Amino acid sequence: MNMQPPSRFPAGQAQTQVAFDRRELSLILSVYGRMVAAGEWRDYGISNLRDVAVFSIFRRTAEHPIYRVEKQPRLRNRQGMYSVVGMDGQILKRGQDLKAVLRVLERKLIRAIDLD
């Protein structure tokens, strides 16, 4: 039996993926946690792709995401690399500051209270 040594991954492959860093995930998970506590959201998924990192938010497991938080570094010098995308694909907010972009989701948590 001819055993070959394990092959190495190409050197540049790991660097070509876009990912959220710890600070970005902390901001996203802070909003996510509040919405889970309010009973609005139930599940999430993270995708690290070549050109974009995506945090998908689900109301229930095994359905289409109701929101996607996207990071696209190639848009850094244009509209901003962060965006929140709705279920229908419409961009709800885009900008350079992730915290400011996430405010569009926090507004969903604020509800009118009937005092009757």
Side-chain angles (χ1 to χ4, degrees):
M1 187 178 259
N2 192 4
M3 303 271 308
Q4 295 180 359
S7 61
R8 303 191 105 195
F9 289 109
Q13 186 175 8
Q15 297 171 346
T16 60
Q17 285 187 335
V18 176
F20 292 106
D21 64 30
R22 183 175 295 209
R23 180 193 62 80
E24 293 164 336
L25 276 176
S26 177
L27 289 170
I28 294 168
L29 289 172
S30 174
V31 173
Y32 176 80
R34 287 193 300 273
M35 296 300 272
V36 167
E40 295 292 320
W41 299 344
R42 298 254 191 285
D43 202 5
Y44 71 91
I46 299 176
S47 301
N48 297 321
L49 307 172
R50 177 176 293 247
D51 296 326
V52 62
V54 181
F55 186 97
S56 300
I57 299 164
F58 300 88
R59 184 167 286 132
R60 291 177 203 83
T61 306
E63 68 174 25
H64 296 290
I66 55 174
Y67 298 108
R68 294 187 325 261
V69 178
E70 297 183 353
K71 175 183 177 181
Q72 297 182 39
R74 64 184 166 80
L75 298 178
R76 177 181 290 123
N77 296 327
R78 291 188 220 153
Q79 306 101 321
M81 71 174 161
Y82 301 109
S83 60
V84 173
V85 182
M87 182 184 273
D88 58 356
Q90 180 181 3
I91 296 174
L92 304 176
K93 182 86 171 160
R94 172 173 274 158
Q96 294 290 6
D97 180 20
L98 179 59
K99 194 170 189 173
V101 170
L102 291 174
R103 283 191 198 118
V104 73
L105 297 174
E106 291 176 339
R107 278 189 260 148
K108 307 288 184 195
L109 187 57
I110 299 169
R111 296 187 189 131
I113 299 174
D114 189 11
L115 299 175
D116 289 340

